[in-house]
Amino acid sequence: SAVATSASTSPSVSAGAGVQSAAGASRASGAGGGTESRTSVASVLSVVLVSALAVASVVVAWPWLQGILETEVAPSIDSTTLQITTWLSSALTGLIVVGLAVVGGFGIGYLRPAGRRSEWLLLAFSPFVLVSTTSLLPALFEAGADEGTLGTLRGLVSPLWVSVPLLVLFTLVFADLRRSRDAGVDGAVRSAVAPVLGLAGLSGLVVAWVHGQQYLWPLVVSYGSDTSAPMLVRAAATPAQELAPVPFGLVAPLGVLVPCVLLGALCLVATDRIALRAGRVNRPA
């Protein structure tokens, strides 16, 4: 009798287990379907947003795209000479400004002439944070006239060689490197070479690109509109000037833009280990 009862109850137990398994599979399939639907919606929204961004970028950059391949910019003006003059002076400006910032930051932050209070030496440069070529134009023009640099490539190079923000940046970087070395971190100096070089390269690209877009300084130190691309574009946009329409792509030519973007991306990869943190730290004397 006991055996028969056991035999009769076994099918019901098996059936109950099958029902529970089916219910679990149904719930799992329902959850999976919900996840897939949310993923599909997110994918569609991503495609729509990327497409809208691409269209907006083309619309905004259309004046530049129209003139990106044009070579004839204005009568009696050689576009090759114009680009060399513009970007060579910008490259020299970036090299000088970043070079001095690296040397100054190394001297203050790593060599530490005032010990652990060396960073306070940066206060001596604080009055010059807001100083630019605009506020010094009369004095700079007079100095250029005395030195004979007006209308030359040397004159197009920025006369302000010290960038206070870059000096502060490299001072903090080298100060942290010095603290890491004093704390006995193995290979602190060797491992910091690539990030520091990447940061210097990225800073130089930014300085050179900003200088290449300036209009006021070339206007002051140049005798004609054929010495700077932004100056020529601005002059052609003036109704009083008898110049042919100048393509806006002249101020950001493809041959300069693409190498700058690639080099900037390489510098960003190299600087991924650099981070600035706020707060008090225990510094050795």
Side-chain angles (χ1 to χ4, degrees):
S1 174
V3 174
T5 303
S6 177
S8 64
T9 56
S10 296
S12 63
V13 173
S14 301
V19 171
Q20 292 177 355
S21 300
S26 177
R27 287 194 297 269
S29 62
T35 304
E36 291 178 358
S37 62
R38 288 193 296 269
T39 304
S40 300
V41 172
S43 301
V44 171
L45 289 178
S46 301
V47 172
V48 171
L49 291 177
V50 170
S51 301
L53 181 61
V55 172
S57 301
V58 172
V59 171
V60 172
W62 185 248
W64 173 72
L65 292 173
Q66 281 184 312
I68 196 172
L69 298 177
E70 294 186 25
T71 56
E72 298 296 331
V73 294
S76 70
I77 294 180
D78 184 12
S79 61
T80 303
T81 304
L82 180 68
Q83 294 296 345
I84 291 176
T85 304
T86 301
W87 295 106
L88 182 57
S89 61
S90 301
L92 291 175
T93 299
L95 182 63
I96 294 173
V97 171
V98 175
L100 289 178
V102 171
V103 172
F106 181 80
I108 297 175
Y110 193 85
L111 299 182
R112 298 170 62 184
R116 63 180 182 179
R117 296 180 178 85
S118 296
E119 285 88 341
W120 288 99
L121 296 176
L122 293 173
L123 291 177
F125 299 92
S126 59
F128 305 99
V129 173
L130 301 178
V131 175
S132 63
T133 55
T134 304
S135 57
L136 300 176
L137 274 180
L140 294 175
F141 180 81
E142 184 178 356
D146 294 339
E147 297 173 2
T149 58
L150 299 181
T152 63
L153 179 63
R154 166 63 182 85
L156 289 174
V157 177
S158 175
L160 301 182
W161 291 357
V162 178
S163 173
V164 178
L166 288 180
L167 178 62
V168 173
L169 175 63
F170 282 103
T171 297
L172 296 178
V173 170
F174 282 113
D176 185 72
L177 179 60
R178 175 60 183 265
R179 286 191 292 269
S180 299
R181 195 207 69 170
D182 293 343
V185 178
D186 295 335
V189 177
R190 183 175 62 256
S191 62
V193 172
V196 170
L197 290 178
L199 182 62
L202 187 62
S203 303
L205 284 175
V206 173
V207 172
W209 189 265
V210 172
H211 184 270
Q213 308 302 315
Q214 286 187 356
Y215 165 72
L216 181 59
W217 179 245
L219 178 64
V220 173
V221 300
S222 302
Y223 294 134
S225 60
D226 59 343
T227 55
S228 172
M231 183 176 173
L232 176 61
V233 172
R234 179 64 183 86
T238 304
Q241 297 290 335
E242 296 181 357
L243 290 176
V246 177
F248 286 99
L250 192 66
V251 297
L254 192 63
V256 176
L257 181 61
V258 172
C260 286
V261 170
L262 295 178
L263 185 56
L266 181 62
C267 292
L268 284 175
V269 172
T271 58
D272 62 344
R273 287 177 292 174
I274 292 182
L276 297 179
R277 299 182 178 90
R280 299 178 63 86
V281 295
N282 296 324
R283 304 178 181 179

